[in-house]
Amino acid sequence: FLYDLSFQVKDDMDPADVTAIDTALADAGAKATSLRTESVTAEGASASEDCALMVPLDPEEFTSFIALRDPATGAALSVPESGAVVTEKLAEMLDLSPGDEITLTDGENRQATVAVVAIAENYLSHFVVLSPDAYRAAFSEDAAVNQYIVNLPDGADDAAKDALAESLTAIGGVS
C-alpha cells in the first residue's frame, strides 16, 4: 500500500458532506481517491474464502495508492475494464489462474461470476479488484463510494495527520 490513511464514509452520504471532505483534503494538501470496499466470499472451482472486494472509482488513480504488481515479473498491473485482479495468496487458495472464473457473493447474498484477468502480489489479506464497469456488469448497479484512501504531502508530521483526522471526523458522512 502506498497511502498514508484511509477512512470510511456512509453509503448514503449527503452531497454537502462530499464537498466538506473535498475541502478538508484540499486544505491539508492531501491527494485522495475514492472506492467501494466490501466483504465478499470468493469461490473458485475447488474452495471458497472470505476477502475484500475493492472497486476504485478512478482505476488509474487507484494504482498510485495501491500498487498492483505481477508476482512473477514485478511489472505494474492496471485495473482491467472487465474481469478481476485477484491477489496471489487468494488465487493459490482457490486454485485460480488468469482466464478462470471466480464467483463473488456479497453481504446481501447476491452472486456474480467474473473472469480472473490478472494475479497481483500481496502479502497480507485477500483482495479482489474490479473496475466500476466490471462491478456494474457483475452486480447490475453502480458501486457506491464508502471509503477514501489518502496521501498527505511529503514531510507531513503527526500533527498534520491529526488535524486532518479531526477535520474529517467532524463531517457527518464520515464514519
Side-chain angles (χ1 to χ4, degrees):
F1 299 127
L2 307 172
Y3 60 89
D4 295 315
L5 63 96
S6 69
F7 61 94
Q8 302 291 317
V9 296
K10 296 176 183 173
D11 284 343
D12 58 349
M13 190 169 44
D14 185 281
D17 290 339
V18 174
T19 301
I21 289 169
D22 291 343
T23 299
L25 293 169
D27 288 350
K31 296 191 184 313
T33 193
S34 56
L35 59 149
R36 171 80 186 170
T37 58
E38 61 185 282
S39 295
V40 298
T41 300
E43 185 176 345
S46 61
S48 65
E49 186 69 31
D50 292 337
C51 65
L53 174 62
M54 302 175 89
V55 184
L57 273 321
D58 185 334
E60 285 184 39
E61 186 178 66
F62 175 75
T63 57
S64 66
F65 291 86
I66 295 181
L68 299 174
R69 300 210 177 280
D70 182 291
T73 66
L77 299 171
S78 59
V79 178
E81 285 187 35
S82 62
V85 175
V86 177
T87 52
E88 184 178 23
K89 183 71 174 172
L90 181 62
E92 289 172 7
M93 294 170 73
L94 302 182
D95 193 27
L96 295 170
S97 298
D100 292 342
E101 291 189 332
I102 185 171
T103 299
L104 305 173
T105 304
D106 71 8
E108 296 175 10
N109 258 353
R110 298 179 305 158
Q111 290 190 323
T113 300
V114 296
V116 175
V117 174
I119 308 296
E121 181 179 67
N122 192 58
Y123 299 103
L124 296 172
S125 302
H126 309 303
F127 298 97
V128 174
V129 181
L130 297 177
S131 72
D133 290 340
Y135 183 90
R136 188 176 312 104
F139 290 102
S140 301
E141 68 181 21
D142 290 334
V145 170
N146 67 355
Q147 184 177 9
Y148 284 75
I149 50 181
V150 180
N151 280 329
L152 296 167
D154 289 341
D157 59 13
D158 287 343
K161 291 177 187 178
D162 291 344
L164 177 58
E166 187 174 321
S167 296
L168 292 169
T169 56
I171 298 168
V174 175
S175 54

